[in-house]
Amino acid sequence: QRAPVRHRVQVVVVAVSLVALVVTVAAGLAAAQQPLPTGWQLLLLLALLPIAEVPLLHVRFGGDRFSFTWGEAAIVIGFSMVSPEWVVLLSWPTVLLAHLAIRRGWLKSVFNGATFALAAGAGALVSQLLPGGQASFAHPGSLLVLLVSVTAFSLTSGVVTAMVVATAQRGRFRAVLGYSWRMLVLVWIGNVAVAGTVLFLAERSSSTLLGLPPLLLAVAAIYRAYLAASQERDAWQQLEAAARELNKLEEREVAHAAISRARQMFRTADVVLELSSRRDEPDRTYCLDADGGLVRQPGLLTSAPAEELSVAGRSRRATCVVAPLTGPTGRLGALRVAFSTPVRLSSRERQVLSTYTHAVATTLLNAYLYADVRDEAVRQAHEASHDPLTGLANRTLLSARTTAALDRGEGTTALLLLDLDHFKEINDTLGHAAGDLLLQEVAHRLRQAVRAGDLVARLGGDEFAVLLTGLADPALAEPVAAQLLTTLAEPVEYEGLHLSVEASIGIACHPDDAGTAEELFRRCDVAMYQAKNERGAWLRYDALRDDTSVRRLALVGELRAALEDQLVVHFQPQVDLTTGAIVGAEALVRWNHPTRGLLQPGEFVGVAEQSGLVRPFTLRVLELAVAECVTWQAPGRPLSVAVNLGARSLMDRQLPDDVAAVLARHGLPPQCLVLEITETTAASALEVVEEVLGRLRRLGVEISVDDFGTGYSSLSFLQRTAVHELKVDRSFVAGMLVNDSDLALVRATVHLAHSLGARAVAEGVESQALAIALTSLGCDVAQGFHLGRPMPAAQLTALLGGQRAVLPMPRTQGDRRLSSLPA
């Protein structure tokens, strides 16, 4: 790109030179008709013309400069001394030699000489065309001719110079000339005044010319002061305009404004903004194309001041002034101002560039800060409305989208509520990693199974929802539910295991089933609980089946208040099969509901787990059980009480401290408290579970594994964790007299317990025959309806006070198969 520009400049110079040559020849022919200058006039003219090219001041246009000289003064004096034709004839060779003498270069020397000759020729032509005689200060007519002639000189010189500068800088001619016209007028006035003063003093006396140097210095100082003030004003105006234009909040907008304003301030078309890597943004370069559009390129340019500049698809040789952009955290990048020729910025220009780059850096920092705040706001908004594990919408976003869909009223809006079946067992058995993987896979499958505009949300735990909008008919939601169940039925692989995923789905539609968003959610929840009774099914809301589910949902709100004074504990005696004495009791919670009467655990324990009341619920039962157990204590009769713990309780690291506080508050020895955990929980191998159990054992509390043999057994748990008793599940005890497999399981469990140094406790002893059989197997303790039904605390206390033991049971009585049992 540089070569064509140079060629265009050369063409302009050649054209100007040719015209100047014609003008010079014409002037020579005309000068032959004029009287020859005297010797001293010729010498003075030959000295005056080189002095006329001494620059007074410069105005920069990119890498080139528009120079203002004493040319007008030389023209005024020359035209007044000799005929204008002689001035034109001598100007080109004299000015050319003067520029070559100071090593200005052939191209510039020829151009300056040609320009001076051409401008002088324009002035001479005007002086010949106007009436009034030779141009001079002699009388008003000739003075007018002189002023018009020097004006023609100034205009011609300014136009030609502006033309070549605009060509060299690939700028606009009008812009170059428009920026310098004020200085042209000022220099014209000053130079004419100086020339008039010189002529006036010369007519009076040659000695008065001694005062000329101070006058010239004063005029030059005025020029420079005016130029400095003008440039200072222009710089402040440019910086003020930059402050307005840089008021952007996006990096690309800041880059476009910064480059555009820098091009105007330094009058160059090549400005590049380099920005260093930030966050996920690599190094990048911004520039403007030929149409003024912003172009982004990867990477940074070389830091060398002179280089092959390649921006916006153009490659050219350039001299760059690099101004770094710095901030509190270090270097942000650099502003690269490129010039077509070597430049040397003045101190004022360097100060302006420094101030400007500081403004650009500050604006970039503000844009980055705004971007950070915006990104953080977006992140927080996303976190506030999305589930962190699956990335799905959460309940808040689902509620907002549902309300918006209902407000729009576009067709039918259907809400599908999904609850995974058996997820708790998988999570407790394989750990949270498996549970999280399963939830993420379910989320992925749900997203893939619905339309792009449908919303999939995770409401918490293993509960999901799908919002279908714009349905033409409510019945269209049903095949979607069926498809979701089919999609989820594919096993999920985890560490070689294939985990089965089943779900229950409830459906409710607006406006058929509910009129408001709140009502839609509630009725969808009701339908889901109804579907859960038919594992792996989906159901749409039916008002005729709503009563039972509504009562269940109402329990959630009532249970919190019930923790204060409505929970009661019944106790089922545990009997030593050897002595027949009551050695303890299992605490079984009941809810003395104010309107529904005494509720069994199956009606509300699940509600407690789903409502987040597990910890206060467990602590309340523990408090009641320990308080009653203290009243049973008597010398020689240290009875124990057994309390069931859910899986979530064992994941609470606060549990050992809570248990210790309850025991201390009531003064019950730790060994009198037995905490029962399920076999599935025992086999989960979760670090937190083993930590909690270890702290409970160190506290002195006894650990019992409930329903042994029915869950996901893990003998490694019994190897790692010492337990105090194994409870044989009632399903095996009930069938041991008629089923060899059940008998073998009971025998194995009893032997396993004894080999571990633990007690074997049998549940569900419903007959004397079972009690005798268990005694024959060596089982230590039993409980069941035959030995005592669950009873209020007062009834058990009375039983303990009136009857300390049950009579021993002979081993030979009972079922005919007892003879086959080991003694």
Side-chain angles (χ1 to χ4, degrees):
Q1 293 294 329
R2 177 60 185 161
V5 172
R6 185 176 181 84
H7 292 161
R8 288 197 295 269
V9 172
Q10 291 174 347
V11 168
V12 173
V13 172
V14 170
V16 171
S17 300
L18 291 175
V19 176
L21 180 61
V22 173
V23 170
T24 303
V25 172
L29 295 175
Q33 306 300 322
Q34 300 294 331
L36 291 174
T38 62
W40 71 268
Q41 287 177 331
L42 185 61
L43 291 175
L44 180 61
L45 187 59
L46 292 177
L48 187 63
L49 290 175
I51 294 175
E53 284 296 285
V54 175
L56 289 168
L57 62 164
H58 308 282
V59 175
R60 180 184 300 283
F61 287 93
D64 294 303
R65 294 185 300 181
F66 198 127
S67 299
F68 298 90
T69 67
W70 295 99
E72 288 81 4
I75 291 298
V76 170
I77 297 173
F79 280 16
S80 298
M81 289 172 47
V82 299
S83 64
E85 291 80 359
W86 280 101
V87 176
V88 176
L89 181 62
L90 296 175
S91 61
W92 194 353
T94 306
V95 172
L96 173 62
L97 293 174
H99 281 283
L100 288 176
I102 60 175
R103 298 181 180 179
R104 186 60 64 84
W106 274 101
L107 188 65
K108 288 187 177 181
S109 298
V110 170
F111 171 74
N112 289 330
T115 301
F116 196 98
L118 183 60
L125 179 62
V126 169
S127 69
Q128 293 298 322
L129 295 178
L130 292 177
Q134 183 179 358
S136 71
F137 283 92
H139 50 80
S142 60
L143 175 61
L144 179 61
V145 173
L146 181 61
L147 294 180
V148 175
S149 299
V150 76
T151 301
F153 171 86
S154 297
L155 290 177
T156 303
S157 177
V159 168
V160 173
T161 304
M163 181 172 58
V164 76
V165 169
T167 303
Q169 296 301 318
R170 298 185 302 279
R172 292 181 301 174
F173 166 76
R174 293 178 58 185
V176 176
L177 188 62
Y179 182 77
S180 54
W181 74 269
R182 289 189 181 87
M183 286 306 302
L184 284 171
V185 173
L186 178 65
V187 170
W188 185 93
I189 295 173
N191 284 355
V192 170
V194 168
T197 303
V198 170
L199 293 174
F200 176 78
L201 295 177
E203 289 181 1
R204 294 292 182 273
S205 172
S206 59
S207 62
T208 58
L209 293 176
L210 296 175
L212 187 59
L215 175 63
L216 297 179
L217 292 176
V219 172
I222 292 173
Y223 284 160
R224 288 182 171 82
Y226 176 82
L227 178 62
S230 176
Q231 291 177 332
E232 191 71 20
R233 181 178 65 254
D234 179 67
W236 280 109
Q237 289 174 347
Q238 293 276 11
L239 291 174
E240 181 183 7
R244 292 193 303 269
E245 295 169 0
L246 290 173
N247 189 21
K248 310 293 183 182
L249 295 176
E250 297 290 341
E251 181 183 277
R252 292 184 63 89
E253 295 178 347
V254 174
H256 191 279
I259 296 172
S260 299
R261 179 51 58 177
R263 292 172 68 176
Q264 296 181 40
M265 293 178 67
F266 299 98
R267 298 178 185 85
T268 176
D270 296 328
V271 177
V272 176
L273 179 64
E274 301 174 340
L275 297 178
S276 303
S277 59
R278 174 183 177 270
R279 286 192 173 182
D280 298 332
E281 288 283 352
D283 293 341
R284 55 217 179 273
T285 299
Y286 289 101
C287 60
L288 299 185
D289 59 20
D291 298 325
L294 187 69
V295 178
R296 171 172 167 158
Q297 299 179 173
L300 303 177
L301 301 180
T302 177
S303 59
E307 60 193 14
E308 189 69 23
L309 189 65
S310 179
V311 292
R314 304 190 306 271
S315 180
R316 53 195 169 276
R317 190 72 177 171
T319 299
C320 295
V321 176
V322 181
L325 303 175
T326 58
T329 58
R331 184 182 176 94
L332 302 177
L335 185 69
R336 188 181 295 270
V337 183
F339 300 98
S340 57
T341 57
V343 296
R344 189 175 210 176
L345 298 183
S346 65
S347 60
R348 184 197 63 81
E349 289 174 324
R350 290 195 298 271
Q351 184 178 9
V352 170
L353 180 60
S354 176
T355 304
Y356 182 69
T357 53
H358 178 74
V360 173
T362 301
T363 305
L364 282 171
L365 288 174
N366 291 338
Y368 293 156
L369 180 61
Y370 172 78
D372 292 342
V373 172
R374 180 191 58 201
D375 293 345
E376 179 65 17
V378 170
R379 185 188 65 79
Q380 291 182 359
H382 185 274
E383 290 181 353
S385 59
H386 288 77
D387 172 55
L389 177 64
T390 63
L392 298 178
N394 62 11
R395 187 182 296 272
T396 301
L397 181 57
L398 176 64
S399 178
R401 291 279 292 273
T402 302
T403 301
L406 267 57
D407 291 341
R408 289 194 303 269
E410 299 173 354
T412 295
T413 297
L415 182 64
L416 282 63
L417 187 64
L418 297 84
D419 188 83
L420 302 184
D421 300 329
H422 307 299
F423 174 76
K424 182 176 181 296
E425 287 84 349
I426 295 175
N427 199 49
D428 292 344
T429 303
L430 300 178
H432 288 296
D436 290 349
L437 175 67
L438 184 63
L439 292 175
Q440 290 170 339
E441 180 61 25
V442 167
H444 174 71
R445 293 184 182 184
L446 292 178
R447 275 194 296 255
Q448 296 297 316
V450 299
R451 300 172 302 175
D454 297 332
L455 182 68
V456 180
R458 181 188 176 204
L459 306 184
D462 57 354
E463 205 170 54
F464 294 83
V466 176
L467 181 67
L468 308 176
T469 59
L471 298 179
D473 188 275
L476 295 178
E478 298 175 1
V480 175
Q483 177 61 36
L484 293 179
L485 290 176
T486 302
T487 302
L488 295 179
E490 291 292 328
V492 177
E493 185 174 346
Y494 175 74
E495 294 185 353
L497 300 176
H498 289 81
L499 307 179
S500 177
V501 181
E502 296 179 352
S504 301
I505 303 179
I507 307 173
C509 298
H510 171 274
D512 293 42
D513 302 328
T516 65
E518 181 179 356
E519 196 174 45
L520 187 67
F521 273 92
R522 187 187 69 79
R523 293 186 174 178
C524 191
D525 206 21
V526 169
M528 188 273 292
Y529 276 115
Q530 292 172 349
K532 209 163 182 63
N533 294 329
E534 305 175 24
R535 297 280 185 175
W538 59 265
L539 283 176
R540 184 176 165 188
Y541 174 78
D542 186 350
L544 298 178
R545 296 180 297 184
D546 194 5
D547 293 342
T548 303
S549 296
V550 170
R551 285 199 302 270
R552 178 180 177 87
L553 292 174
L555 291 178
V556 176
E558 299 173 353
L559 185 58
R560 190 177 299 274
L563 295 177
E564 297 295 329
D565 55 4
Q566 295 177 18
L567 293 185
V568 295
V569 176
H570 287 190
F571 298 91
Q572 185 173 34
Q574 295 178 327
V575 177
D576 188 322
L577 291 177
T578 302
T579 64
I582 298 175
V583 294
E586 181 179 0
L588 303 171
V589 65
R590 305 287 188 267
W591 183 357
N592 191 13
H593 196 278
T595 59
R596 298 175 57 188
L598 195 66
L599 301 182
Q600 297 298 312
E603 299 184 68
F604 62 88
V605 170
V607 175
E609 293 179 347
Q610 295 174 4
S611 61
L613 296 174
V614 174
R615 184 169 182 268
F617 179 83
T618 301
L619 291 181
R620 181 59 180 168
V621 174
L622 186 65
E623 192 87 33
L624 294 173
V626 170
E628 291 297 336
C629 185
V630 170
T631 64
W632 305 336
Q633 305 302 309
R637 191 184 68 187
L639 271 68
S640 64
V641 64
V643 178
N644 289 280
L645 291 181
R648 295 187 181 182
S649 296
L650 287 178
M651 288 186 285
D652 181 7
R653 288 186 168 87
Q654 185 64 26
L655 179 65
D657 296 332
D658 293 335
V659 171
V662 171
L663 293 174
R665 189 157 48 248
H666 295 281
L668 182 69
Q671 63 271 20
C672 293
L673 176 62
V674 180
L675 297 179
E676 296 186 4
I677 61 176
T678 63
E679 184 180 7
T680 299
T681 303
S684 64
L686 293 178
E687 181 180 348
V688 62
V689 172
E690 296 194 10
E691 176 190 339
V692 170
L693 289 176
R695 292 174 58 192
L696 289 172
R697 285 195 307 273
R698 289 191 292 274
L699 182 63
V701 173
E702 296 194 347
I703 305 298
S704 172
V705 179
D706 196 12
D707 301 331
F708 189 81
T710 61
Y712 297 90
S713 300
S714 176
L715 297 181
S716 61
F717 166 77
L718 298 178
Q719 183 183 31
R720 295 191 310 270
T721 306
V723 298
H724 299 85
E725 69 178 32
L726 297 181
K727 297 191 74 173
V728 186
D729 186 70
R730 65 182 66 250
S731 61
F732 303 133
V733 173
M736 63 179 289
L737 298 180
V738 295
N739 188 296
D740 291 336
S741 297
D742 289 343
L743 177 62
L745 286 172
V746 173
R747 180 188 294 113
T749 302
V750 171
H751 288 176
L752 176 62
H754 291 165
S755 65
L756 295 173
R759 297 185 300 274
V761 179
E763 296 181 301
V765 179
E766 310 296 336
S767 66
Q768 180 74 3
L770 287 175
I772 294 174
L774 289 167
T775 304
S776 300
L777 292 176
C779 186
D780 303 296
V781 179
Q783 66 184 81
F785 285 177
H786 175 69
L787 302 174
R789 291 177 175 271
M791 61 190 70
Q795 184 177 341
L796 179 60
T797 302
L799 179 62
L800 291 173
Q803 180 180 334
R804 300 202 170 205
V806 178
L807 294 176
M809 294 167 289
R811 295 175 183 267
T812 57
Q813 297 178 3
D815 192 274
R816 64 181 183 275
R817 298 186 62 195
L818 290 182
S819 59
S820 64
L821 298 177

